[in-house]
């Protein structure tokens, strides 16, 4: 599978930059205070004294003033167009009632469809939702599409229902709260936009990522999300030319079911752009918040409801077998325990057909995997399946009385078992699922340290690696040195203004931090504060993606 050419400086634009008087997060030297970048590559890391001896007038010298240089973040699950639209539409995350939501719709500026994102009725005192007719009146006849925070359901107005032909689809409700096929159709109807508009939304998302220290993002395309044209557009950001604007690298995935190797190859050929695999948001089930995640037993707050299964064991097994025979990654979106049962049974069937070694070597990945018991964790490890998790989910919904507890009762305590994955040897990588949770990587690292189940907390170092180097590995990236700052590695990093550096572990029974140099452990920002480090610069393969004016002031 060939990879698209990255947008990097041409040879005549090659620069040599010396960063000094700070801290460099590197395995090459845990005491490093300086780093030399030569073009696209890290050329050297070392001490301040050595930096003084190699500095010359041909270099740009950047004084870090105690700041931190660290490998750039990789978001292992993102939706670029959806993120851009969410950033530019009604922000509904702070809405706390149906009345407030209707007020927001009524005050929406502009013309055309009213778009909004982020409402979460589990945080409302009264979870009653507004009706399609109420939305119609509030918008004064404009079509309305308001995605729930998990983007697995939405509220729509009466006029959108009519123009998009939603009434006969599975998941339709006359009251305007749509799930499953009806929701997918409603979303696609509002995304039927000119290519330039879609490009601007994706540019907005990539710029947001760069401003928060991300150097790459795994785009999770699927037919029910944005279609092939949207994924092709996302992949095209990797085709930049020297001298043009640079962005984080896009690692594209396409979530479409393939039943045979020939079918899989035909999908890849039709896409016409290189993808990392046929994985990502190929949905086995839905979400906890929308009660579409497939459960073994009823939702605690909805007797008789156990969610939705979108694929059978046989279909999922055929997909994994086909991808394995082609030597590419396959995988699924899977959240509920019954959904995971389906995925694991599919692994068994696929392994019986093509052999366990082919399954393991393909490097399949499952997205989310929020409910996994010890036996399921063991089976994921057995098949070397990578789990792509979202720590922000636990931070948002894992507290006592929050969404998980409302939907699942006592079962919520065992969700998102990060420590169990690590202990069993399950490869794990982290992302935001933006726009579901924001592009705030240090908040995501903190969420791993502060998991609501203390037994599932992991150290800051493990969490940081899961957000950086593991993201490249999970995508089977061609350069094994990606995600680290050592000589010869890609110059892909971020510079951070930090208040304090320390070593942080997850176990509260031992000292939670240490700056003892004898530990020889690279230091990370202190995350036991109310503020995150501020990004000063983001660089990918030597190209500056983002710069805060404070960096060179």
């Amino acid at each position: 599978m060939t990879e698209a050419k990255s947008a990097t400086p041409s040879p005549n634009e090659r620069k040599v930059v010396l960063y000094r008087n700070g801290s460099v997060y590197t395995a090459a030297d845990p005491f490093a205070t300086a780093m030399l970048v030569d073009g696209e590559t890290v050329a050297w890391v070392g001490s301040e004294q050595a930096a003084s001896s190699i500095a010359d007038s041909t270099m740009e010298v950047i004084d870090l003033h105690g700041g931190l240089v660290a490998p750039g973040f990789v978001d292992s699950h993102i939706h670029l167009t959806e993120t851009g639209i969410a950033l530019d539409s009604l922000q509904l995350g702070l809405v706390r009632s149906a009345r407030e939501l209707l007020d927001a719709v009524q005050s929406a500026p502009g013309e055309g469809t009213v778009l909004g994102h982020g409402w979460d009725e589990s945080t409302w005192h009264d979870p009653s939702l507004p009706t399609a007719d109420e939305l119609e009146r509030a918008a004064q006849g404009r079509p309305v599409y308001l995605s729930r925070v998990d983007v697995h359901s939405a509220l729509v107005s009466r006029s959108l229902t009519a123009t998009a032909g939603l009434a006969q689809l599975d998941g339709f409700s006359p009251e305007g709260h749509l799930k499953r096929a009806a929701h997918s159709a409603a979303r696609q109807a509002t995304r039927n936009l000119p290519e330039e508009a879609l490009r601007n939304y994706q540019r907005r998302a990539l710029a947001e990522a760069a401003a928060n220290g991300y150097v790459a993002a795994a785009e999770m395309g699927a037919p029910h999300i944005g279609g092939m044209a949207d994924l092709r557009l996302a992949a095209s950001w990797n085709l930049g030319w020297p001298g043009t604007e640079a962005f984080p690298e896009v690692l594209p995935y396409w979530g479409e079911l393939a039943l045979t190797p020939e079918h899989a190859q035909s999908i890849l050929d039709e896409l016409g752009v290189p993808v990392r695999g046929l994985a990502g948001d190929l949905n086995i089930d839905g979400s906890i918040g929308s009660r579409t995640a497939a459960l073994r037993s009823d939702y605690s707050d909805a007797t008789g409801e156990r969610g939705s299964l979108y694929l059978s064991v046989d279909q999922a097994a055929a997909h994994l077998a086909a991808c394995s025979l082609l030597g590419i990654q396959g995988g699924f979106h899977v959240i509920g325990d019954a959904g995971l049962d389906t995925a694991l049974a599919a692994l068994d069937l696929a392994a019986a057909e093509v052999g366990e070694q082919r399954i393991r070597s393909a490097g399949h990945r499952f997205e989310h995997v929020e409910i996994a018991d010890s036996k399921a964790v063991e089976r994921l490890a057995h098949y070397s399946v990578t789990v792509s998790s979202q720590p922000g989910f636990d931070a948002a919904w894992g507290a006592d009385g929050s969404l998980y507890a409302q939907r699942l009762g006592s079962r919520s305590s065992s969700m998102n078992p990060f420590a169990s994955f690590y202990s069993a040897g399950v490869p794990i990588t982290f992302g935001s699922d933006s726009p579901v949770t924001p592009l705030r990587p240090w908040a995501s690292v903190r969420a791993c340290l502060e998991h609501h189940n203390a037994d599932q907390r992991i150290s800051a170092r493990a969490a940081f690696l899961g957000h950086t180097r593991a993201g490249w590995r999970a995508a089977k990236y061609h350069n094994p040195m990606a995600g680290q700052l050592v000589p010869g590695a890609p110059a892909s990093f971020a510079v951070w203004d930090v208040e304090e550096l320390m070593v942080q572990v997850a176990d509260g029974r031992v000292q939670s931090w240490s700056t003892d140099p004898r530990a020889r452990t690279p230091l990370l920002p202190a995350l036991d504060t109310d503020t995150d480090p501020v990004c000063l610069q983001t660089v990918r393969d030597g190209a500056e993606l983002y710069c805060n004016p404070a960096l060179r002031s």
Side-chain angles (χ1 to χ4, degrees):
M1 183 163 40
T2 59
E3 297 192 29
K5 179 182 176 183
S6 299
T8 55
S10 63
N12 62 358
E13 294 176 325
R14 174 176 164 184
K15 293 176 61 178
V16 179
V17 184
L18 177 63
Y19 295 82
R20 60 183 302 181
N21 189 29
S23 181
V24 181
Y25 188 93
T26 173
D29 180 358
F31 311 128
T33 62
M35 181 175 77
L36 185 70
V37 174
D38 187 348
E40 303 175 12
T41 307
V42 175
W44 168 87
V45 292
S47 68
E48 194 62 28
Q49 182 178 3
S52 297
S53 68
I54 65 175
D56 63 43
S57 60
T58 66
M59 304 174 181
E60 180 184 7
V61 179
I62 294 180
D63 190 332
L64 296 169
H65 298 290
L68 172 69
V69 180
F73 286 99
V74 179
D75 194 306
S76 289
H77 191 120
I78 192 174
H79 303 279
L80 291 176
T81 299
E82 292 296 314
T83 296
I85 289 174
L87 289 170
D88 278 352
S89 63
L90 294 178
Q91 306 293 308
L92 303 176
L94 297 180
V95 163
R96 291 295 177 265
S97 68
R99 182 68 265 164
E100 289 183 17
L101 189 146
L102 291 169
D103 289 344
V105 170
Q106 187 170 11
S107 62
E111 300 177 353
T113 303
V114 177
L115 300 176
H117 168 73
W119 59 270
D120 181 358
E121 83 290 358
S122 73
T123 65
W124 301 358
H125 176 70
D126 178 359
S128 301
L129 299 172
T131 67
D133 288 334
E134 289 174 325
L135 290 170
E136 189 79 17
R137 289 193 293 271
Q140 300 180 40
R142 295 168 61 187
V144 178
Y145 170 88
L146 310 176
S147 54
R148 195 183 184 281
V149 64
D150 54 13
V151 202
H152 278 264
S153 61
L155 296 171
V156 302
S157 63
R158 189 72 65 195
S159 56
L160 183 61
T161 294
T163 58
L166 306 177
Q168 305 305 314
L169 299 178
D170 175 52
F172 173 75
S173 164
E175 295 302 303
H177 185 200
L178 308 185
K179 301 180 181 181
R180 300 187 293 277
H183 170 242
S184 295
R187 174 164 61 181
Q188 290 181 323
T190 64
R191 273 46 172 172
N192 186 20
L193 301 169
E195 180 177 310
E196 187 58 28
L198 296 175
R199 181 176 292 276
N200 286 336
Y201 283 130
Q202 291 190 1
R203 179 184 284 109
R204 174 74 189 276
L206 287 166
E208 176 78 4
N212 285 282
Y214 289 96
V215 295
E219 167 69 6
M220 297 300 172
H224 66 280
I225 298 176
M228 285 189 177
D230 190 68
L231 185 76
R232 293 187 192 109
L233 189 61
S236 73
W237 294 101
N238 295 334
L239 299 173
W241 299 99
T244 62
E245 193 175 6
F247 290 100
E249 183 162 357
V250 177
L251 306 171
Y253 284 87
W254 181 246
E256 183 173 353
L257 181 66
L259 298 177
T260 66
E262 295 76 18
H263 185 195
Q265 188 60 58
S266 70
I267 293 171
L268 296 173
D269 293 342
E270 185 181 1
L271 279 168
V273 294
V275 294
R276 314 308 303 189
L278 297 178
D281 277 342
L282 172 54
N283 289 3
I284 278 184
D285 66 351
S287 73
I288 300 293
S290 293
R291 297 192 191 89
T292 50
L295 303 182
R296 294 172 180 169
S297 55
D298 293 357
Y299 280 87
S300 296
D301 58 353
T303 302
E305 288 193 33
R306 295 193 178 188
S308 304
L309 276 174
Y310 302 128
L311 297 178
S312 69
V313 171
D314 287 343
Q315 287 174 314
H319 182 79
L320 292 173
C323 291
S324 298
L325 288 170
L326 287 183
I328 64 172
Q329 287 183 302
F332 313 102
H333 161 118
V334 54
I335 286 182
D337 47 9
L340 186 56
D341 290 342
T342 298
L344 293 171
L347 280 168
D348 292 338
L349 278 181
E353 179 181 344
V354 304
E356 288 190 2
Q357 185 54 40
R358 274 205 174 99
I359 296 293
R360 293 192 186 98
S361 63
H364 300 309
R365 56 185 288 163
F366 292 173
E367 308 299 313
H368 314 308
V369 192
E370 291 201 76
I371 309 177
D373 58 26
S374 59
K375 290 183 178 180
V377 172
E378 289 175 6
R379 292 171 72 190
L380 290 167
H382 176 76
Y383 287 113
S384 300
V385 174
T386 293
V387 169
S388 171
S389 290
Q390 291 68 45
F393 288 7
D394 182 74
W397 304 308
D400 290 344
S402 293
L403 172 71
Y404 288 161
Q406 294 174 28
R407 297 285 192 269
L408 302 174
S410 61
R411 291 170 289 178
S412 65
S413 63
S414 60
M415 292 184 66
N416 299 300
F418 303 150
S420 295
F421 288 142
Y422 273 105
S423 296
V426 175
I428 187 167
T429 184
F430 295 118
S432 65
D433 197 11
S434 179
V436 178
T437 64
L439 291 162
R440 298 294 182 269
W442 290 113
S444 189
V445 172
R446 182 188 294 110
C448 294
L449 281 165
E450 299 178 353
H451 195 293
H452 284 90
N453 180 350
D455 292 337
Q456 297 302 334
R457 293 171 182 168
I458 58 177
S459 70
R461 179 176 180 272
F464 182 72
L465 292 175
H467 284 82
T468 53
R469 193 174 185 185
W472 297 111
R473 289 178 173 177
K476 300 185 73 174
Y477 196 67
H478 69 278
N479 190 337
M481 299 184 75
Q484 52 186 327
L485 298 180
V486 296
S492 297
F493 57 89
V495 179
W496 301 92
D497 182 11
V498 296
E499 295 181 1
E500 183 180 5
L501 296 170
M502 60 174 60
V503 175
Q504 296 152 101
V505 298
D507 193 341
R509 295 170 298 178
V510 299
Q511 188 173 351
S512 64
W513 62 273
S514 171
T515 54
D516 188 338
R518 292 172 295 182
R520 296 191 63 82
T521 302
L523 304 179
L524 286 167
L527 297 174
D528 55 352
T529 64
D530 293 331
T531 58
D532 290 343
V534 175
C535 186
L536 299 177
Q537 185 189 41
T538 306
V539 174
R540 177 175 71 81
D541 293 336
E544 186 175 88
L545 311 183
Y546 166 81
C547 186
N548 187 312
L551 178 74
R552 294 183 174 92
S553 62

